[in-house]
Amino acid sequence: YEGDATYCLKVHAEKNADSPNVHSIREHSQNDGTAFSGMASSQSSHDQSKLDEALVAVDIAAAPQVHVTYPVGENFDPGELDSLAVLDSSFNPPTSAHMHMLDMAATRFGARWKLLLLAKQNADKPVVGATLPQRLQMMELLARADSQGHTLCGVTAHPLFVDKAIALQALCGVGSRILLLVGFDTWIRVTDPKYYAEGQLQTVLAQLFDLVEIVVASRDSASAAAIGKLSMTEQEAEVRRLTDIVTRGRLHFLRNDEAMATLSSSAVRNALAAHDEGAAHAMVPACLHEFVAQHGLYQE
């Protein structure tokens, strides 16, 4: 759940009052809960075409929306999303920490569904490494490995937190419980007044907590230099600095497992660039090993 921090550092002066359109691809797919096997090469062209369509379907100039890319087919009903834990990341590539953290948050806060969410545009990052369709394919492999079949994948064009919250509420419907998971390093940027016009921070936070609950996960200081040397206890204290008047009890802190907190996508990329597949495999779920190797990702 590294980086992608400054996408939330802008303020919209106005918000579209209309409910966002929510799209999903209606192509039949089977979720058998198994890890990915040798079908990647035979389906890659078809899959990429459909994912290209999904990426085109979301437009930053339009109302915020989440386009569901997995599961697809007649059996997917957004009306069932009564409680949803959301991990918004660049997934470049996904690591074992991504699903571990999402599973932990869903279990702790009682969310029945989970969503891996990719923003196709981030304010502070160009697209390097895996292409966006490849990232969506890797996210789908993670979701397919969920034996309960309760993990979804989606894409949005909007980089701002408030816009993502609007899109998520439109996806789930009013009254659904939505938990948006972020790393501590991202959260300290979200709440830093220097990134906002004078007096706008409280307005943005009020909008955010109206729409979703926020779960801030602890980060390892060695893998997230922006947080300095703050211990887990100090990170929690910083998160709880916001009063209940602002958060209305909708801000939570999640203590990540220390072993998982040290994993990062950048460490995986570095290992693969150094041709250290053993180190990379230790950080990446087994269901992604074949895909990464077949596409030669992060080798340069």
Side-chain angles (χ1 to χ4, degrees), residues 52-271:
D52 286 339
E53 292 176 12
L55 289 162
V56 170
V58 289
D59 182 358
I60 197 168
Q65 61 179 272
V66 171
H67 190 126
V68 175
T69 60
Y70 180 85
V72 292
E74 299 299 328
N75 292 329
F76 173 60
D77 180 9
E80 296 181 2
L81 302 179
D82 53 345
S83 57
L84 181 69
V86 182
L87 179 60
D88 170 33
S89 181
S90 61
F91 300 107
N92 189 31
T95 71
S96 297
H98 283 113
M99 282 307 300
H100 175 82
M101 187 169 61
L102 185 57
D103 288 340
M104 186 166 56
T107 299
R108 176 173 170 181
F109 298 104
R112 192 160 69 98
W113 296 91
K114 295 168 287 189
L115 172 66
L116 301 169
L117 180 63
L118 175 69
K120 76 174 187 178
Q121 176 176 329
N122 284 300
D124 64 339
K125 282 192 176 182
V127 176
V128 296
T131 66
L132 294 180
Q134 287 172 335
R135 297 182 200 188
L136 288 169
Q137 286 176 295
M138 289 189 283
M139 291 159 59
E140 180 174 334
L141 295 176
L142 285 181
R144 285 180 177 275
D146 178 0
S147 60
Q148 294 183 331
H150 280 186
T151 301
L152 296 80
C153 304
V155 62
T156 181
H158 288 75
L160 304 184
F161 253 120
V162 170
D163 287 338
K164 291 175 183 177
I166 292 170
L168 288 166
Q169 188 180 78
L171 173 68
C172 298
V174 176
S176 296
R177 186 184 189 195
I178 303 167
L179 298 136
L180 183 55
L181 188 58
V182 301
F184 175 77
D185 53 331
T186 297
W187 184 244
I188 60 175
R189 289 170 171 80
V190 175
T191 57
D192 191 335
K194 74 179 182 181
Y195 293 109
Y196 298 88
E198 185 176 354
Q200 288 298 306
L201 175 57
Q202 297 302 315
T203 300
V204 172
L205 291 177
Q207 288 178 314
L208 194 59
F209 288 118
D210 278 344
L211 296 164
V212 298
E213 297 178 50
I214 300 293
V215 179
V216 182
S218 63
R219 289 298 309 266
D220 174 68
S221 59
S223 62
I227 72 173
K229 297 295 184 181
L230 292 180
S231 67
M232 193 177 299
T233 299
E234 289 170 327
Q235 291 178 42
E236 182 171 8
E238 180 66 19
V239 170
R240 300 197 184 285
R241 181 175 56 83
L242 286 178
T243 67
D244 283 343
I245 296 175
V246 176
T247 68
R248 302 189 299 282
R250 292 166 66 82
L251 176 63
H252 315 283
F253 185 77
L254 184 67
R255 288 176 170 252
N256 202 0
D257 288 354
E258 290 187 9
M260 290 292 173
T262 62
L263 301 186
S264 70
S265 295
S266 59
V268 175
R269 295 194 300 269
N270 291 339

